[in-house]
Amino acid sequence: MLWTASQVIRKFSTSSHYYQNKLKLALIGQSLFGQEVYTNLRKQGHKVVGVFTVPDKDGKADPLAVAAEKDGTPVFKFPRWRVKGKPIPEVVEAYKAVGAELNVMPFCSQFIPMNVIDHPKHGSIIYHPSILPLHRGASAINWTLIHGDKKAGFSVFWADDGLDTGPILLQRECDVEPNDTVDTLYNRFLFPEGIKAMVESVQLIADGKAARVPQSEEGASYEGIQKKSNCRVNLAQPAQAIHNWIRGHDKVPGAWTVIDGQTVTLYGSSMLGGSVPAGQPLQIEGASQPGLVSKNGLVLFGSDDKALLVKNLQFEDGKMIPASKYFSSGESSSVELTDDEKKMAEDIRMIWRGILSNVPAIEDTTDFFKSGAASMDVVRLVEEVKQRCGGVQLQNEDVYMATTFQDFIQMFVRRLRGEDQEEELVIDYATKEVNNMTVKMPYQCFIDGKFEDADNGKACDTINPADGSAICKVAYASVGDVDRAVAAAKEAFENGPWGKMNPRDRGSLLYRLADLMEEHQEELATIESIDSGAVYTLALKTHVGMSIQTFRYFAGWCDKIQGKTIPINQARPNRNLTFTKKEPLGVCAIVIPWNYPLMMLAWKSAACLAAGNTLVLKPAQVTPLTALKFAELTVKAGIPKGVINIVPGSGGLVGQRLSEHPDVRKLGFTGSTPIGKQIMKSCAVSNLKKVSLELGGKSPLIIFSDCDMDKAVRMGMSSVFFNKGENCIAAGRLFVEESIHDEYISRVVEEIKKMKIGDPLDRSTDHGPQNHKAHLDKLVEYCEVGVKEGATLVYGGKQVDRPGFFMEPTVFTDVEDHMFIAKEESFGPVMVVSKFKNGDVDGVLQRANDTEFGLASGVFTRDISKAMYVSERLEAGTVFINTYNKTDVASPFGGFKQSGFGKDLGEDALMEYLRTKAVTVEY
């Protein structure tokens, strides 16, 4: 079987567990695939008694031979096994001498005689990249895509004297993505899973458990080898068929057409789902209408008037260019190298010389591929250059775009200087020397990958709550800005690379974003501290730290979003299959609060992006700065433009427009219950967009007399005073059993007196300022109402006498159920305590549940039975037992009743940003 695809070098590990049964193996084959199979079989304890591979080419050994020779395994490099159809005796004898019990043929381009195939005790097994009996023959992967198959896969089968007709040992399948190419399908599934399957198959044989399922001739197909000469694109057919033909030959052997009298090969095809972009007409031989050279690539039209987009073009001389630059491909002039760049060029020349060892000298005109380089050499070149010349970003595609040494150096230097960037990101920063560093803060709207002022030119001050001073002016977005942001997100979803991206690649970008957030964590925490009043140590650990964890968690989910197969009633004589697919929704709006500006952004946007959506995010008007810094990091991470848009401004204008916008398909909101109700109404009236709401709370915390008192005091204080009480799940009301009530209050007050109130950037500060002046005033008024209603103010209740928006940690006791402070959330450092009678478990549960809110709750007791009884009856989305505030990125978070619906975090959060499509097939 002869098939070729470019490969990504990967490390594969299989279990180090050694099975009891081991075999002596002959490996017959070649390539990186063969090398990985060889390596992993040896790791499993099997003995490879001989490797039979192809001779060296241009002085370079095959990767399988390199690995085997390094291990001291006998290696045979026969140019052929037979002459005129007859086995070569000395070759067969050399093979038989190694004494193999099984032939393993992971990838073999040679014809192996049957007296070799049948010689071992267990015969021979072969890997074939299709679900046999479909696509027998040498170009199976190509034909899988050309035919538009929805499923791809591979077979491990027992070799016989037919052409890929032997009994099946093992098969695996996968979905074919809409824009899969030979390369992507191979690298994503056929290569990694094929290696595992070959190792598994050998062990099944060793254990006597290997299947031998005869192949059916029903549905069998055989297609010939695809060669360059027969790969011309027929443009007089539907767009989908054209797309399938192009991707079915990408990268090898390459589908081609004729433009301006010369052969041009087409790469990187995708179907156009939205409107056709503007472009310059291009006459293409055999096309029903001219193509369009647009900024996104070459648009081709099918006979059904649907369109597809081609990303790259390769000319007869081997030069590859972005299709978008077809009319300007000859305009770039060469750059003059500096002395340092000349030294780098010579280092790169040495790398070329090491790879192209068969070439006497690397001249400027030396062509990488015409000199014998293969796809694995592309990977090596890119990785060695990146290692030698740190800081430059190169992709495998760049080598295909610049195949001669001179062109490669020119491309490298431009990349090093940043001259070939599509558009340099221009950022106007507000800078501040604070916390022993210079923080650089973007302050404009972030729309379609660019920072820009609001349409109306408006801006407003964002205030440092520690002293009431203005940090900087921040753009105040208009309705027009929101509309542009939504349009950019829609374009990115429908026509940009994000919507076409492999989920695993999407995950890689999110991992990269998390890494950048970690690199900038001190700057992010400092910005968060001065903008929201969060104590720096808490901002670093929780506000920023959990944000990083959240993006890493959801990055891992990108390629694990799956549907189901569902048994349904069969309508005889036909058979039916139903399966479901999880699909992204499209453009999502996210509106976040001011208490955890970055963390709330991460909780919602990470799940949204992992699911494949694009987003428009409105940060709180009073805390926009970390969201805008985050936007800057998304560009550095390589998130495509338009995927993430940040529009700071007022809720009444920006938030309202997002809830009403007809192109927004989902809105996620964290904030107050009254605003949540208004948003839900607007979302329903506009276009019935999907909604998730995390709203107000009045979380009860029940402390029984049999608790661990030290822990209950410590965690009870944390439940109220954590993050200055500006905490969605803060314990809004504590119920303390009568027998320990007075002791508990006494110890809490004693601990409060030890708390240091002050500058949030001071590492010893325990309690920072409230987020903004209006909120501080509301808290003071809240305490005044509590006193007027007759609750006992044990401690605090006033603004701290110092600059800034500081509130004293406050404790109320003797709080009756009818009181305002018993029912309403303070969202501040106010502990509201009520007694309950000794042993009255059901009574205190009734009081704890007597609220319209149900976000969180807690119980402290040493009696696990009591704890479980209480947890089952508390009406809240989260119940903490003998702890509090212990959220984790893997655990779903969300409320009951008027605390909202929908979940952040965990697998449940992904479902908020996906839709389920059911597909039923009759066959």
Side-chain angles (χ1 to χ4, degrees):
M1 296 170 293
L2 177 61
W3 48 272
T4 311
S6 69
Q7 297 131 344
V8 175
I9 292 179
R10 309 174 186 199
K11 299 292 183 184
F12 289 89
S13 64
T14 55
S15 169
S16 59
H17 174 68
Y18 276 67
Y19 296 88
Q20 183 178 0
N21 303 308
K22 299 299 165 188
L23 294 175
K24 292 189 290 184
L25 309 173
L27 261 288
I28 304 176
Q30 64 204 71
S31 81
L32 188 62
F33 185 82
Q35 180 196 69
E36 290 288 348
V37 171
Y38 162 81
T39 300
N40 282 285
L41 285 170
R42 292 185 76 250
K43 283 182 181 178
Q44 291 296 332
H46 297 286
K47 181 175 178 60
V48 179
V49 294
V51 165
F52 298 84
T53 188
V54 294
D56 296 354
K57 183 180 180 181
D58 297 325
K60 294 167 59 178
D62 183 83
L64 174 57
V66 171
E69 288 169 345
K70 183 178 179 181
D71 294 332
T73 301
V75 176
F76 303 85
K77 301 178 181 180
F78 300 134
R80 63 186 63 83
W81 289 72
R82 59 185 191 174
V83 175
K84 296 182 179 180
K86 295 183 178 181
I88 302 173
E90 55 268 32
V91 171
V92 174
E93 288 307 311
Y95 158 76
K96 289 182 177 180
V98 301
E101 298 172 317
L102 173 70
N103 291 333
V104 179
M105 303 167 69
F107 172 67
C108 183
S109 63
Q110 297 176 312
F111 289 100
I112 309 300
M114 286 307 298
N115 60 340
V116 171
I117 295 289
D118 294 336
H119 177 75
K121 171 184 176 182
H122 296 289
S124 302
I125 59 170
I126 307 178
Y127 172 90
H128 184 77
S130 79
I131 307 170
L132 292 172
L134 194 63
H135 303 312
R136 293 169 176 165
S139 297
I141 311 177
N142 306 83
W143 288 106
T144 296
L145 296 171
I146 292 167
H147 284 295
D149 294 354
K150 300 302 181 186
K151 293 285 184 182
F154 58 80
S155 306
V156 179
F157 70 98
W158 299 92
D160 66 359
D161 57 359
L163 185 61
D164 303 331
T165 56
I168 302 298
L169 190 161
L170 179 152
Q171 290 184 320
R172 296 282 188 271
E173 66 176 35
C174 68
D175 290 330
V176 177
E177 300 294 333
N179 296 317
D180 262 335
T181 64
V182 174
D183 277 6
T184 62
L185 189 56
Y186 181 70
N187 292 328
R188 185 181 82 249
F189 184 80
L190 300 175
F191 181 81
E193 296 304 319
I195 291 164
K196 295 175 188 176
M198 288 297 284
V199 175
E200 180 183 347
S201 298
V202 170
Q203 193 57 54
L204 286 170
I205 295 169
D207 294 339
K209 299 177 181 178
R212 285 180 179 263
V213 181
Q215 287 191 42
S216 169
E217 288 306 306
E218 183 180 347
S221 65
Y222 174 84
E223 296 93 2
I225 296 175
Q226 284 303 94
K227 298 180 179 179
K228 190 74 173 183
S229 58
N230 59 8
C231 291
R232 182 169 182 171
V233 184
N234 174 13
L235 296 171
Q237 57 181 332
Q240 184 67 54
I242 299 171
H243 167 59
N244 288 341
W245 184 267
I246 295 172
R247 68 188 183 124
H249 296 88
D250 187 345
K251 289 279 191 298
V252 177
W256 57 274
T257 188
V258 176
I259 303 174
D260 289 336
Q262 68 169 317
T263 299
V264 178
T265 307
L266 313 173
Y267 296 108
S269 171
S270 60
M271 290 297 293
L272 265 180
S275 57
V276 176
Q280 188 173 347
L282 177 65
Q283 295 295 330
I284 302 171
E285 191 174 299
S288 57
Q289 58 179 298
L292 290 175
V293 177
S294 74
K295 65 177 182 179
N296 299 323
L298 173 61
V299 178
L300 299 177
F301 297 93
S303 59
D304 54 358
D305 289 330
K306 293 183 179 179
L308 61 141
L309 189 72
V310 173
K311 184 181 177 183
N312 297 318
L313 305 175
Q314 188 173 38
F315 298 102
E316 293 174 350
D317 62 0
K319 182 181 180 182
M320 185 182 285
I321 64 165
S324 60
K325 297 183 178 179
Y326 178 83
F327 289 113
S328 57
S329 59
E331 295 177 5
S332 60
S333 57
S334 58
V335 296
E336 192 71 30
L337 273 60
T338 65
D339 290 342
D340 287 342
E341 289 165 348
K342 288 177 181 177
K343 291 178 182 177
M344 287 187 182
E346 288 309 308
D347 287 341
I348 294 172
R349 194 185 298 271
M350 293 297 294
I351 295 171
W352 277 54
R353 187 173 296 138
I355 296 172
L356 304 176
S357 55
N358 55 305
V359 178
I362 304 298
E363 308 290 347
D364 285 352
T365 56
T366 300
D367 188 285
F368 192 66
F369 296 103
K370 291 178 181 178
S371 299
S375 55
M376 72 183 94
D377 298 314
V378 173
V379 179
R380 177 181 168 186
L381 174 61
V382 168
E383 294 305 315
E384 286 198 38
V385 170
K386 284 162 67 175
Q387 186 177 41
R388 188 81 63 91
C389 310
V392 67
Q393 293 296 316
L394 287 181
Q395 304 293 332
N396 294 351
E397 202 74 30
D398 296 324
V399 183
Y400 293 101
M401 296 286 191
T403 61
T404 68
F405 181 75
Q406 183 177 32
D407 288 344
F408 185 85
I409 292 299
Q410 290 286 311
M411 177 275 299
F412 169 81
V413 171
R414 287 194 175 93
R415 185 66 52 83
L416 193 66
R417 296 177 182 179
E419 292 177 2
D420 64 348
Q421 305 271 333
E422 279 189 13
E423 202 170 326
E424 185 180 356
L425 180 65
V426 178
I427 308 176
D428 289 334
Y429 291 110
T431 59
K432 199 170 184 69
E433 297 293 330
V434 61
N435 201 23
N436 299 316
M437 68 178 75
T438 302
V439 294
K440 301 167 70 175
M441 299 168 285
Y443 57 83
Q444 298 166 296
C445 299
F446 182 71
I447 299 173
D448 202 20
K450 294 179 285 189
F451 285 100
E452 51 193 39
D453 291 332
D455 263 353
N456 54 18
K458 286 186 178 180
C460 64
D461 288 332
T462 184
I463 303 299
N464 183 343
D467 58 12
S469 64
I471 302 170
C472 64
K473 287 191 177 295
V474 176
Y476 196 77
S478 67
V479 168
D481 295 315
V482 176
D483 289 347
R484 287 189 301 110
V486 172
K490 184 179 181 184
E491 173 68 17
F493 180 77
E494 294 181 350
N495 299 319
W498 186 255
K500 304 174 180 67
M501 192 175 291
N502 182 296
R504 196 163 294 169
D505 293 336
R506 187 164 68 240
S508 296
L509 290 179
L510 296 184
Y511 276 123
R512 192 181 305 166
L513 176 57
D515 291 343
L516 282 166
M517 292 171 71
E518 189 168 53
E519 288 176 26
H520 291 262
Q521 61 183 331
E522 289 86 2
E523 185 178 19
L524 286 167
T526 300
I527 296 171
E528 190 93 335
S529 185
I530 64 174
D531 202 24
S532 76
V535 172
Y536 175 76
T537 50
L538 179 67
L540 191 62
K541 179 181 182 294
T542 301
H543 290 233
V544 178
M546 193 173 187
S547 300
I548 295 165
Q549 292 176 27
T550 302
F551 272 98
R552 286 189 174 138
Y553 173 80
F554 282 109
W557 266 110
C558 288
D559 60 354
K560 300 171 186 68
I561 298 170
Q562 300 175 350
K564 299 177 181 178
T565 56
I566 303 170
I568 63 172
N569 288 340
Q570 306 293 326
R572 297 181 180 179
N574 299 316
R575 302 173 69 192
N576 297 279
L577 168 68
T578 292
F579 62 91
T580 61
K581 297 173 65 181
K582 297 291 185 182
E583 298 179 340
L585 301 171
V587 179
C588 297
I590 293 173
V591 180
I592 57 173
W594 42 258
N595 58 326
Y596 293 104
L598 186 63
M599 195 170 79
M600 291 298 99
L601 175 153
W603 280 22
K604 295 189 187 298
S605 62
C608 174
L609 295 168
N613 301 286
T614 57
L615 66 88
V616 179
L617 183 139
K618 190 200 89 67
Q621 183 176 336
V622 292
T623 54
L625 293 179
T626 42
L628 294 170
K629 187 68 180 179
F630 168 82
E632 177 190 346
L633 298 181
T634 68
V635 177
K636 292 182 178 179
I639 306 289
K641 67 177 185 177
V643 173
I644 297 171
N645 304 273
I646 311 288
V647 280
S650 74
L653 194 151
V654 175
Q656 185 63 30
R657 178 56 181 158
L658 287 171
S659 66
E660 294 171 345
H661 203 292
D663 289 333
V664 172
R665 293 297 168 191
K666 159 71 196 278
L667 191 145
F669 171 75
T670 295
S672 72
T673 297
I675 299 299
K677 290 179 178 180
Q678 178 60 42
I679 283 175
M680 190 173 176
K681 180 179 178 181
S682 298
C683 288
V685 171
S686 57
N687 61 343
L688 274 179
K689 56 178 62 70
K690 192 174 182 180
V691 182
S692 57
L693 304 171
E694 196 253 282
L695 307 176
K698 189 66 175 173
S699 302
L701 174 58
I702 303 172
I703 301 174
F704 288 100
S705 59
D706 62 351
C707 69
D708 178 334
M709 180 63 83
D710 290 342
K711 189 173 186 180
V713 169
R714 185 176 71 255
M715 300 303 295
M717 290 183 64
S718 174
S719 76
V720 176
F721 302 128
F722 188 82
N723 199 47
K724 312 117 47 180
E726 296 168 354
N727 189 19
C728 305
I729 58 172
R733 193 174 180 193
L734 275 67
F735 294 92
V736 182
E737 198 160 6
E738 194 170 27
S739 61
I740 63 166
H741 175 274
D742 292 350
E743 179 190 356
Y744 185 84
I745 297 301
S746 174
R747 291 187 59 175
V748 165
V749 171
E750 182 182 335
E751 291 302 315
I752 289 176
K753 290 177 180 178
K754 298 176 185 177
M755 292 172 64
K756 179 179 177 180
I757 301 172
D759 181 0
L761 293 175
D762 185 334
R763 294 343 186 236
S764 63
T765 294
D766 299 303
H767 188 76
Q770 304 309 135
N771 187 275
H772 51 280
K773 180 66 164 60
H775 183 54
L776 173 65
D777 294 342
K778 177 186 169 186
L779 288 172
V780 172
E781 182 182 353
Y782 184 91
C783 293
E784 290 171 351
V785 170
V787 172
K788 288 178 183 177
E789 286 191 322
T792 302
L793 179 61
V794 176
Y795 192 89
K798 301 187 298 295
Q799 180 177 354
V800 178
D801 185 17
R802 59 170 290 158
F805 311 141
F806 291 86
M807 178 74 184
E808 294 177 334
T810 299
V811 179
F812 277 102
T813 61
D814 302 318
V815 178
E816 302 295 333
D817 294 351
H818 67 275
M819 292 180 178
F820 176 81
I821 64 172
K823 293 182 174 294
E824 295 298 324
E825 180 181 28
S826 72
F827 212 64
V830 182
M831 182 179 283
V832 176
V833 185
S834 299
K835 292 180 188 176
F836 68 94
K837 292 181 181 179
N838 294 331
D840 188 12
V841 177
D842 289 327
V844 73
L845 273 170
Q846 184 176 357
R847 296 172 70 191
N849 287 329
D850 186 20
T851 172
E852 276 300 302
F853 301 107
L855 188 56
S857 59
V859 55
F860 278 82
T861 175
R862 285 191 172 95
D863 185 340
I864 190 63
S865 297
K866 185 194 298 181
M868 296 307 294
Y869 178 87
V870 170
S871 70
E872 289 172 3
R873 285 158 179 78
L874 282 169
E875 297 170 0
T878 297
V879 181
F880 297 109
I881 298 177
N882 294 326
T883 187
Y884 210 88
N885 287 324
K886 190 162 283 186
T887 54
D888 186 87
V889 294
S891 177
F893 179 93
F896 297 164
K897 300 188 285 190
Q898 291 199 48
S899 287
F901 52 82
K903 297 293 183 183
D904 291 325
L905 304 180
E907 183 179 1
D908 291 46
L910 282 171
M911 300 306 111
E912 301 294 332
Y913 295 94
L914 292 165
R915 63 187 183 190
T916 302
K917 177 182 287 184
V919 180
T920 298
V921 182
E922 184 175 281
Y923 61 99

